[in-house]
Amino acid sequence: MMKHPFKLRSTYFLSFFVLLCSMSFAMSNGYELWLNYSKISDGAILTSYQNRLQSVLVEEGGQTMEAIKKELEMGLGGLLGTEVRFKSFQASENQLIVSKIGSLPKAFREEINVDNLSDEGYIIKHIEKSGKAYLIITGREDIGLLYGTFHFLRALKMHRPLNTLNVEESPKVDIRMLNHWDNLDRTVERGYSGFSIWNWQTLPDYIDQRYIDYARANASIGINGTALTNVNANALILTPQYLEKVKALADLFRPYGLKVYLTARFSAPMEIGGLETADPFDPQVIQWWKDKAAEIYKSIPDFGGFLVKANSEGQPGPQNYGRTHLDGAKVLADALAQYQGTVIWRAFVYSEHDADDRAKQAYSEFVPDDGKYPDNVLIQVKNGPIDFQPREPFHPMFGAMPNTPLMMEFQITKEYLGFATHLVYLPKLFEEVLQSDTYQKGEGSTVAKVVDGSLNTKKLTGMAGVSNIGTDANWTGHPFGQADWYGFGRLAWDPSMNSEAIADEWLRTTFSNNEDFINPVKKMMLKSREAVVDYMNPLGLHHIFDTGHHYGPGPWVGNLSRPEWNPVYYHKADQEGIGFDRTKTGSNALSQYAPELAEKFGNPETCPEEYLLWFHHLPWDYQLKNGRTLWDGLGIKYQQGVDQVKQMINTWENMEPYVDQYRHNQVSMLLGIQLKEAKWWRDACMLYFQTFSQMDFPKEMESPENTLEHYKSLKFPYAPGIRPQWD
Ligand code: BDP
């Protein structure tokens, strides 16, 4: 008997539909980040939310209120699987109300106190009236409501009960920004996730959906600023041709509270302004910056300001004219002041002409001018005194400039942490830095309190993260790289947050609420930071990466023109021992820390072992706390790092039931590379250091897989993220 043609067709369609659904599961490529709004699968929770959120009232307003509506439409619609009913106040329904405090129905206004809320802050409160339950998201300004909306959606994704949801939040830091090291040709310096997401060629006419999703993602974690261009700046970005494109982005980002900043090349008055000098004391130069500021603010009235890398690694700056960083910053600050713009001046400076320890140079340049910078200048300081290493002690400037606002600069992209290939949960590193005690005003003077301004009641505060975002389908290359972007945003909002809570949020919102998944994977993330320290730079070693691209080990490199670019400068291994003496007998970088710390770190017996070789040059047979020699200790640490990656692989293998196949497979393959590279680090470093120690490897360490000559011969001319001039 012949089948009914229609039946055939519908079966065909049905199986096609099933195929599509399973494909969309299998193809979950992570583009939606922590904002994927697929329907809540737990039936009881779903029903409770559906009952609580029968309709939604969103105050009428401008673009930000429209963005809130759209997000709720997408978020609630997706999570609850129902169409969102936007209505005016409903006394007869359980309702969600999103409204500024002044516009709330009076009965609710009286129950909510916004006195302690900043303009960006919000309150989420459960209120019951006449048998109906209302969930109120309120604040002083629209942007607070948007942040509150994202918090609320996060709570739903984390399956939080709504009738105990009681939140009051204001950001602790004013400027919470990403720094893109993106070039105008779309390459990204130290970027490992594809090309720049800014398509300068097609802007301003072509608006990529990514720009909007980028703004949403940032707003969802409270990021409110973005410097679009590389700190190794190209003056062209300040020309009308490019400013028109920048304006298009600024217009898109505005509803999401995201301000645009640009990097200002100090020599721009010459390169695009036709002047003969960029001397900050020259009246024409001063006028040029004023005119440029006026031009920018005319089309971008809320332009954030300039981010400047000057007199560092070949970038031009005021010192080219015998002026100081302070002189340079003042000219730009003056040009921006009337528009409430900010100058973010980087402290990442060191000079090949200065024979002093590189770790000391920024402090020496900036600290004497403490308190002299104009009010709209922030000094942006990297978390450690060298350069985004797997572990560094905190930068001593954080304890030494009580009268100058210091902005924290973290690196979210993993230049020295295995690129986008290694799973290393960075908020753990960020937290360690933020919780470090500077002792500036006695015990408890943490870096977090310096950065959020509370230690010295500073007016302007900020935190920047060098972005790990690119055109890769999932934005960050490694699926777990998203957690670093997420965690940076959360810590910029509140530097006292703990990284474990952040990992918990991110896992639940990105993958699953299943405890059998959350617990082991959270553990894996939290341990991953120590693992990379162990297999790359244990016991305080630093900057022993291969030249230029910083991919893989290169402790033997010693032929670069600038001494402080050579790994041998940092580990100082010789027949006697290893490590950089930064005590009084050496560079005395320790003198830049508070006396309590100088004393503790200055004595190898009291110095935490994780900083041992950062501050001390010690004999190979120096006895560690566990009774083993320094040499054995090194080998054991390298091995522990490798073993930790093996454990990560194990953990992840068991997670297959909880993760879509696509991302599970991605992470598995990447962990495989991570293991290979961890062994490479262990073997290359231990074989090289053995040429000095002349000692046998500790019994705990696996034998190297190759010879030192082999490791030394490896070359990577096309390693990603590198500028031609670093070759
Ligand atoms: C170093 C990077 C280099 C950056 C520099 C900076 O290797 O690409 O330009 O920092 O922060 O870590 O300016």
Side-chain angles (χ1 to χ4, degrees), residues 181 189-190 231-232 309 313 346 348 382 387-388 409 415-416 550 723 726:
W181 286 358
E189 184 156 338
R190 311 310 180 181
V231 288
N232 296 312
K309 172 175 177 177
E313 300 182 331
R346 295 177 84 232
F348 180 68
K382 287 190 182 181
D387 194 7
F388 299 139
E409 179 174 320
E415 175 180 355
Y416 296 99
H550 300 151
R723 275 186 302 155
W726 294 107

